[in-house]
Amino acid sequence: MSQLQIYFLRLLLFLFLQSFIFNQLEISPSIHVIIAPLYLFLLPFDRSIISLLLIALVLGVSIDATSNTFGLHTSSLLLFAYLRPVVFRVFSPRDGYDSLKSPSIFDMGNRWFISTFSILLLSHHLWFFTLEAFSLNETMLILQKTILSGVISFVVCVILQTIFIKRAG
Amino acid sequence: MQNLIAFIKRIRYFIVFFVFQFFALSTYVSFMSAPKSSYFTTASYITGTLFEIRHSITQHFLLGENNVALQKENIELRKSSSLFLYNNESSSSRVIDSSFAQQYEYIPGIIINSTTMKRNNFFTLNIGNIQGVKKGMGVFSSNGVVGIVHNTSKHFSVVKSVLTKNINIDVLLTEIGTSGMLKWSGESPNIGYIAGISNDIKIPTGSKVVTRGGSGIFPRGIEVGVVKKTNTIEGEASWHIDIAFSQKYAALENIYVVKNLFLDEFNTVQNK
C-alpha cells in the first residue's frame, strides 16, 4: 500500500474509533477520551501547516457530524494542528528531523513523544472543555476534566500506537 | 506596499488558521442556540442512517429494562381506562364525554443515539418531519421528562436533552405549588437542579417535581424527579435545589414527542 492509502485508511479508522467507540464510552462525566489529535500528530514531519489545517478541518467536521458537537472538535483540532509545528520546533533534535521517520513513540523515543504530545494534547483538551462549558463559573470542573481526560487519552493513544502503528526496523 | 505583502506572507498560516477557526466557532455558537439546518448534526441523512444501523445492533442490550418500564406504563393506563374498571351503574349505555377535549398529541419514537456524560448531551430520534416532529416540541418518556426537539430533518431529529447547559424547563413543586427553572450542572447524569425559588419557602426533601406546562411545550404534570437537597447560594435570595431525576437517561430508548394542538392559540394569547 502506498503512503497515501495508509494515511487515508488510518483517517477512517480514527474517525470510527472516535465517533462510535470513544464518544459512546461513558465512564464518568469527567472522562472523555479524545484520540483524534493522535492522527494529526502522526502525520509526516514535512507536512505544511496549511495541509495540516485542512486535514484537521475534514477530520473535525466529520467527528462533529456524528457527535452533535457542532464545531467543538473542529475548533480544538485546528488549534492542535496550528500548534504542532510550533511545539515540534521547540523540541527539535540538534540535526533537525529525519524526514524518513514518523513522529510515533517508536521512531522518536519515549522522552520526545511524552514531552511534545502531552503539551499538545493538554492544550487541545483545555480548549475543548473550556469551549464546551462556555462559562468561567465552571473553572474547577474544566480543569478536572482536562487533567483526567488528558491522562487517560494519553494512555489510550500510546496503546493505540502499539496496536496499529508499525514499529520501525 | 511591499512591506504589506511581506507581512501578509509572514502571517499567512495564521490567517488560514483564523478563517477555519472562525468557521468552526461560528457554527458551534449558532448551532448551540438556534440551528438553521441539519447539516453536520446526527439529524443529517448519512449520520442518521449510520446511527440507525448501529442501533439495530445494540438495541437489545437494554431490552429488559425498557420492557419493564413500558409494562409499568401499560398497567397505569389500564388502571385508569374505563374499559378495565368495574361498572357500578347498571345501565350499560355509553356516555360520550364532551367535557374534555384533546389538547396534546403524542408521537412515539426511539432514541437511536445518545450520550449522557458530556457537558451538552443531545439524543437522536428515528422520527422526523414526516411523522410531524417540529423544532421546539417537548419529548418525554414513561418515567419522566427528556428534552426539547432542537433540530429536525426528513427522517431524523435531534433532541436537546435535560442534560444540557441551557435547558430551562419550567417545573413545579407539586406539594408547595411554587415553580422554578430546571437546569443541569454537568456533574452527574442523575442529578439536576432547580433555580429561581425564593429561599424563604421551606422545601421538604422528597417533594415531587413535575413539569408546569407554562410554555405550551409540555403538558402539566409530567414527572421530573424528587427533591434531594436544598442548598443556599451565597449572596442570593434563592435556593439551589438538587433533584434526583426519575428517568435514568443512560438506559432510555422509548420516548414520546408532544404536539400541542393549541400551541398557535396559546402563543397568540400570550403575545397580545
Side-chain angles (χ1 to χ4, degrees):
Chain A
M1 269 196 290
S2 78
Q3 199 75 352
L4 197 71
Q5 279 171 317
I6 290 176
Y7 280 108
F8 182 69
L9 284 179
R10 202 186 278 172
L11 181 77
L12 294 184
L13 176 78
F14 271 80
L15 204 57
F16 173 78
L17 285 178
Q18 183 66 62
S19 321
F20 289 91
I21 303 203
F22 290 116
N23 275 349
Q24 312 282 337
L25 189 74
E26 301 194 300
I27 307 151
S28 124
S30 35
I31 298 173
H32 182 184
V33 182
I34 308 174
I35 50 126
L38 182 65
Y39 178 78
L40 289 177
F41 189 85
L42 289 177
L43 289 170
F45 282 115
D46 47 8
R47 288 269 124 221
S48 73
I49 303 186
I50 305 284
S51 67
L52 280 177
L53 287 172
L54 276 170
I55 294 167
L57 189 73
V58 171
L59 184 63
V61 167
S62 359
I63 294 173
D64 280 328
T66 54
S67 53
N68 285 323
T69 36
F70 322 119
L72 204 56
H73 281 282
T74 315
S75 171
S76 24
L77 283 175
L78 282 171
L79 183 81
F80 188 94
Y82 187 71
L83 289 182
R84 189 185 105 133
V86 179
V87 175
F88 275 17
R89 214 175 301 134
V90 173
F91 286 91
S92 136
R94 198 151 35 108
D95 321 322
Y97 290 105
D98 185 350
S99 60
L100 288 174
K101 285 185 175 175
S102 74
S104 71
I105 193 165
F106 307 121
D107 280 15
M108 296 306 296
N110 290 346
R111 237 175 86 195
W112 181 87
F113 181 81
I114 289 170
S115 42
T116 47
F117 192 60
S118 58
I119 290 173
L120 286 169
L121 196 70
L122 272 185
S123 47
H124 170 276
H125 276 49
L126 187 64
W127 182 262
F128 183 91
F129 291 117
T130 311
L131 269 183
E132 193 186 31
F134 221 74
S135 92
L136 292 174
N137 295 333
E138 298 174 14
T139 318
M140 280 321 288
L141 197 64
I142 292 170
L143 285 178
Q144 185 194 335
K145 279 181 172 183
T146 307
I147 291 165
L148 265 176
S149 308
V151 169
I152 291 173
S153 302
F154 190 91
V155 172
V156 172
C157 285
V158 172
I159 294 170
L160 279 177
Q161 284 184 74
T162 60
I163 298 172
F164 293 112
I165 311 295
K166 227 188 257 171
R167 212 175 274 260
Chain B
M1 193 65 201
Q2 242 165 11
N3 280 342
L4 184 70
I5 291 170
F7 177 69
I8 289 173
K9 228 174 184 175
R10 211 166 56 228
I11 63 159
R12 65 187 187 278
Y13 296 135
F14 185 76
I15 293 174
V16 175
F17 170 70
F18 185 80
V19 169
F20 286 175
Q21 193 66 259
F22 183 78
F23 160 77
L25 288 181
S26 57
T27 47
Y28 176 59
V29 173
S30 67
F31 269 81
M32 279 308 284
S33 50
K36 288 182 190 72
S37 69
S38 60
Y39 296 119
F40 310 134
T41 70
T42 48
S44 73
Y45 180 73
I46 300 171
T47 37
T49 315
L50 276 176
F51 277 111
E52 201 150 61
I53 295 168
R54 181 183 159 274
H55 178 253
S56 67
I57 299 166
T58 58
Q59 62 181 333
H60 305 296
F61 297 170
L62 303 168
L63 206 59
E65 218 162 313
N66 281 305
N67 277 343
V68 171
L70 292 178
Q71 227 167 10
K72 264 190 197 153
E73 195 185 18
N74 269 335
I75 292 167
E76 286 303 312
L77 290 176
R78 283 188 185 210
K79 267 193 222 161
S80 56
S81 165
S82 62
L83 261 177
F84 297 95
L85 294 179
Y86 181 76
N87 196 349
N88 279 330
E89 285 172 29
S90 52
S91 70
S92 62
S93 69
R94 199 157 152 251
V95 180
I96 294 165
D97 200 341
S98 62
S99 57
F100 292 103
Q102 189 177 12
Q103 191 188 351
Y104 298 100
E105 257 178 26
Y106 305 105
I107 309 162
I110 287 173
I111 293 179
I112 55 172
N113 175 42
S114 68
T115 57
T116 54
M117 291 190 182
K118 309 283 180 290
R119 185 64 188 90
N120 295 299
N121 297 292
F122 293 84
F123 299 164
T124 314
L125 307 183
N126 69 340
I127 48 174
N129 287 338
I130 290 181
Q131 283 84 1
V133 180
K134 285 202 190 77
K135 219 160 96 178
M137 287 179 170
V139 180
F140 69 97
S141 70
S142 47
N143 287 334
V145 68
V146 173
I148 294 168
V149 176
H150 191 57
N151 195 355
T152 60
S153 70
K154 212 169 160 194
H155 302 283
F156 303 102
S157 45
V158 170
V159 176
K160 189 176 185 175
S161 73
V162 170
L163 310 176
T164 313
K165 206 170 145 57
N166 298 314
I167 184 71
N168 292 342
I169 292 174
D170 49 347
V171 292
L172 185 75
L173 282 108
T174 38
E175 281 143 51
I176 306 142
T178 44
S179 61
M181 282 287 180
L182 178 66
K183 286 167 189 288
W184 189 57
S185 65
E187 274 150 21
S188 159
N190 300 323
I191 294 162
Y193 73 93
I194 304 174
I197 292 183
S198 165
N199 64 5
D200 51 3
I201 303 168
K202 229 181 165 183
I203 299 191
T205 2
S207 311
K208 235 177 137 191
V209 183
V210 298
T211 55
R212 184 174 171 230
S215 48
I217 296 170
F218 288 102
R220 196 184 173 93
I222 286 182
E223 223 178 318
V224 175
V226 288
V227 172
K228 225 181 146 197
K229 208 175 144 202
T230 47
N231 310 303
T232 47
I233 316 171
E234 213 172 298
E236 262 183 67
S238 56
W239 288 114
H240 174 107
I241 305 168
D242 279 332
I243 62 163
F245 288 128
S246 54
Q247 171 70 53
K248 292 267 171 291
Y249 293 101
L252 179 59
E253 191 171 279
N254 299 291
I255 50 86
Y256 306 95
V257 178
V258 184
K259 186 180 178 186
N260 188 350
L261 300 173
F262 299 163
L263 191 64
D264 287 339
E265 195 182 329
F266 179 83
N267 285 338
T268 20
V269 167
Q270 282 232 317
N271 296 336
K272 246 176 203 169

